[in-house]
Amino acid sequence: MTTETNTVELATELTIAWLGNPNTRTSADDVPAFLQSMYAAVEKLGGTTVETPTEDAAVEYTPAVTVRKSLASKDHIISMIDGKPYRTLRRHLTGHGLTPEEYRARYNLKADYPIVAESYSEARRAMAKTIGLGRKPSQQADAAPAPAPAKAKRGGKAALDAAKETLGTAE
C-alpha cells in the first residue's frame, strides 16, 4: 500500500510541477488525463503493470457547434472545441495541442475545412498583392508604371503649356 501511495504522490507532484511551468498551456479538462498518464508512467518505471485505456475506450469528442454554424460568418470561424469565434484557428489549436489535421480528424471534418476566416484570408491576399508577393521578377517590371515620356526642354510659354497639358489644366 505504501508503494501505491508513493506512486500517487509522485505522479501528483510531477503533475503540479508540469502545471507550474509558465510555458504549459492547458485547460482544466486536460489535467485528469495528464495525471493518469503520469501515474501510468511512474507505475511502469516501478515495474508493476497498470491498466491502460484501450483504443476501444477512445474519447468521443462532441463539437460545441455544428459545422454549418462554425462557417456561418465570413469574418470568423467558430471553434468546435469551445464555441468561440476566431479569425484563424492555428494558435487556438496549438494551445490545445492539436494540429489542423488532428482537429479535422477529431471532429470528422473534410480535408478542405478552412482554418482561416474568409475575410481575413482575402485581406491578407490583397495586402500580399499590393506589395508584389507572388509575382515573378519579369512580371514586376511589366506591372511597374511606365515613366512619362521625357519632353524636350522648352523655354517660356512652351514649358508652361507642356506643364498644363501634363496636369490636364490646359485652357
Side-chain angles (χ1 to χ4, degrees):
M1 185 78 171
T2 0
T3 58
E4 186 176 324
T5 56
N6 289 341
T7 306
V8 171
E9 289 174 6
L10 183 58
T12 305
E13 288 178 21
L14 289 170
T15 303
I16 290 170
W18 176 69
L19 290 171
N21 184 347
N23 293 327
T24 302
R25 295 181 182 146
T26 187
S27 65
D29 298 335
D30 297 336
V31 175
F34 182 79
L35 182 59
Q36 287 176 345
S37 66
M38 190 58 64
Y39 177 75
V42 171
E43 280 290 315
K44 185 177 180 182
L45 290 174
T48 60
T49 59
V50 178
E51 292 181 29
T52 57
T54 61
E55 291 183 24
D56 297 336
V59 179
E60 189 67 32
Y61 295 100
T62 56
V65 294
T66 64
V67 176
R68 178 175 279 188
K69 186 172 180 181
S70 72
L71 300 175
S73 174
K74 289 185 176 190
D75 296 331
H76 58 267
I77 294 178
I78 298 177
S79 168
M80 295 189 150
I81 297 172
D82 60 6
K84 294 180 182 176
Y86 297 94
R87 292 174 85 187
T88 176
L89 290 177
R90 190 163 307 275
R91 185 176 291 164
H92 172 63
L93 296 178
T94 304
H96 287 278
L98 294 171
T99 64
E101 291 78 23
E102 291 170 345
Y103 176 75
R104 290 178 181 123
R106 177 184 280 189
Y107 295 107
N108 297 322
L109 302 170
K110 293 182 180 178
D112 63 346
Y113 181 86
I115 299 298
V116 178
E118 187 178 341
S119 64
Y120 182 72
S121 178
E122 288 172 2
R124 296 288 299 205
R125 180 176 185 259
M127 182 179 65
K129 284 181 106 176
T130 59
I131 63 173
L133 293 178
R135 291 191 200 135
K136 295 180 182 172
S138 62
Q139 290 175 336
Q140 289 177 350
D142 294 342
K151 301 232 180 202
K153 289 192 176 189
R154 302 177 195 164
K157 183 161 172 45
L160 182 60
D161 291 340
K164 286 182 181 178
E165 181 182 335
T166 304
L167 295 175
T169 58
E171 297 171 359

